[in-house]
Amino acid sequence: MAQVKQSKSVPRSRLSHIGDPYDTMNALNPLEQKTKHTMKNFFISGSAQIWKSRLSWRIASVVFLTILIIQAATFILTVQEKEREQFKQIEEIARSAITPALETTAGMLSSPLTQRQANRVISTTIVNGLSVYSTDLHLLGQYGEPVATMMLSLDNIGRTYRSPDGSSYEFILRPNDLRKPYIIIARINSEDINPYIINHAKESVIIMFLLSALVTSVLMIALGHWLLEPILFLRNNLLAARENPDNPKIKESPYNPNDEVGEAINVAQSLIKQNAENMQQIRSAAEDKIHKLAYYDQLTSLPNRTLFVQKLTELAYTNKESAKKLAVVTLDLDHFKDINDSMGHNVGDAILRGVAKRLSTTLPDHSFVARAGEDEFAVTCVLSQSNTARDIAEKVAGIIRAEPFKVYNENFQIRSSLGVATYPDDGDDPNHVLKNADIALNRAKEEGRDRIKEYSEDFDKLVQERFQILRDLRDALEKDELTVYYQPQFDLKTGTVIGAEALIRWWKKDNSKDGGHFISPGEFIPIAEQSGLIVPIGEWVMREACTTAKTWHEQGKDIRIAVNVSGAQFFQSDLVKHTMEVLKETGVKPELLELEVTESVFMDDISVAVNTLKQLHKLGVEIAIDDFGTGYSSLSYLRQFSIDRLKIDQSFIFNALNNSDDAAIAKTIINLGHSLNLKVIAEGVETKDHEAFLIAEGCDEVQGFRYSKPVPKDEFWAFVSDYNGSLKSFNV
Ligand code: C2E
Ligand code: MG
Ligand code: MG
């Protein structure tokens, strides 16, 4: 990246002088470089590289063969000429030996050679045989070796003949040659001619090869220097560019840019460099983008959790020696999900952006702010001696609380829950410290939100305990250690038992003298909900409750059983299908089953909730809203849903007698239920006064310890069998 910056700010023409990354030979000045490079290339590249190049070999072979062929053609021509010369010479010798020996006085019909003269010519010269003819082709005499040439017509007068072994040569002396009216065929010795010609050929071939080699070498050196070597140089640079296009290790061209090859190399070099620069720019832009995507949150532009951990690690490392502590604060916006669901994501996003902006602009410069999750932010800073991590958290909470966030001209007063941890007090590993701050944050949320919680080791224990409960619960489900208790529900006007709520019980075996103890559903149900284990547990409870309802029906009493269904069951399982299966399996009438859902179900996904409730209602099952009055839901859904009963949360009943607000809420719920044609049931009825209050307000049904605690099914059966049908018998 540094290279890109450099190449951006410095003109390319100066690059070779200041350490251009492409120029690996910049230790010498350009002239020295050039000379050295040229010489080196001439002797090393020029000889070694060129002779390694296939192209060079092809050119060399073509040049060599061409020269050889030209020379061979010339040689063939000169050899024939040489041979002809030799024959001419021996013809001349023979003629000058024969002509003086001819008799000037001989008649036309007799041979002009006497036997004696002929013998002398034959014995003293290269002539070995003679045949003498008259001009009308009469053989006049024959001497020495017989000649092979037959003089049959005057057309043959120009012919010559050579014996197959090359030792004899015959030619014809015509009247013009002899200046006499005879034709003489002379057979002469020609055995020296062949060796002479062969010798001549040998010499010529050697010269030919030497010449070809010389010319080829000179040509190759010249070609190599001016053409092949630059091409190889260009090829090497192109290969380097292909191998490493964004940072090619290419050499500066030593070739004259004024000739065509040098110019072509220069153009190619600048294209390679330009391409490398483009690629570097693209790469660095892509890297920037990837870095942004990997380390920054797109919505708020704040660093994300990954970068936060990196920064934390870096701060931990740099402050190790000075033993300075770090504050790690995590913050979660309270009920942000409600805002998102009710006002839409645009509003939610605007609030998140507002929080990010407020935190990053208001906190001191040395603080590092990140978006750590959906509505979770994290802050870290080095602590001074006068500051504690809690001080930082209070500052952060104050910043959020300081004034409402304005979105589309509406004010949203946001509260937050904060978790605080300190490095290194709460962990050696920065990542671990952040996790501990998160644990503290969860604790703050569990304790009712809008508060700051500092991490304590006890939290860890709590988390471990929860894991242990989850493991044990899984075991309990498998080993059938869960049971269902039933608590009766009464019609307040008639006093009859109209139903029972099925409540799960877990008897956890231990080594105590009782052999075990009950674990409250309030303790393990939330853990089962968080882990998803509530789905099989809920299914088991429903099956168990329906089996019991069926047994009671068979024993003569129709008692409707209310089964609690948690939000997780609503969304994680096919509740409708399972309910149908259980009804079918157990054969219980659908109206003997009631499902109790809490208001939270409507807040998660309203359309799924509406649809599921409709389908359940269609099966004939009754629906009650449990703990009514504690949720945040709007009343409008009550009309949309298929519900039969509102169940006033027990907290309103407990306090109705001493808290006018709670009494007012209880009354309102009763009136609301009636105006919507719903039954209203009150739970947590413990005393006669509670009961009197509910009778006075016209509540329909009751459930509570005043009548019976939840009991095992046999006890329940005994209770309803003995029950005389009058609530007045309960005189607590
Ligand atoms: P809930 O559904 O609101 O059940 C009523 C709770 O109030 C029961 O507590 C019951 O024992 C208690 N209760 C009833 N009358 C009185 C009274 O007069 N005074 C007092 N102080 N308490 C009374 P329990 O059984 O401990 O259950 C607590 C919660 O656990 C239930 O609240 C329900 O939300 C959940 N739960 C219990 N069983 C199941 C289950 O099978 N499935 C699901 N999903 N949740 C269950
Ligand atoms: Mg209930
Ligand atoms: Mg309840």
Side-chain angles (χ1 to χ4, degrees), residues 487 501-505 520-522 525 529 534 537-538 541 563-566 569 596 626-627 647 649-650 654 683-686 703-706 708 710:
Q487 188 180 28
E501 179 171 8
L503 293 156
I504 193 165
R505 290 293 175 264
S520 154
I525 291 287
E529 281 174 337
I534 192 67
I537 287 179
V541 172
V563 173
N564 291 285
V565 174
S566 77
Q569 278 175 272
E596 286 190 10
D626 202 356
D627 305 338
K647 200 167 184 185
D649 188 68
Q650 47 184 280
F654 294 153
E683 63 181 333
V685 182
E686 290 189 350
Q703 171 187 345
F705 290 176
R706 171 165 163 69
S708 168

Side-chain angles (χ1 to χ4, degrees), residues 335 338 449 597-603 625-635 637 646-655 662 665-666 669 672 683:
H335 303 300
D338 298 348
R449 303 171 197 264
V597 296
T598 55
E599 287 170 279
S600 64
V601 162
F602 309 118
M603 295 171 72
I625 298 180
D626 202 356
D627 305 338
F628 192 78
T630 53
Y632 295 89
S633 51
S634 100
L635 295 177
Y637 68 76
L646 295 183
K647 200 167 184 185
I648 310 173
D649 188 68
Q650 47 184 280
S651 60
F652 302 118
I653 310 301
F654 294 153
N655 300 326
D662 284 345
I665 293 174
I669 294 174
L672 174 77
E683 63 181 333

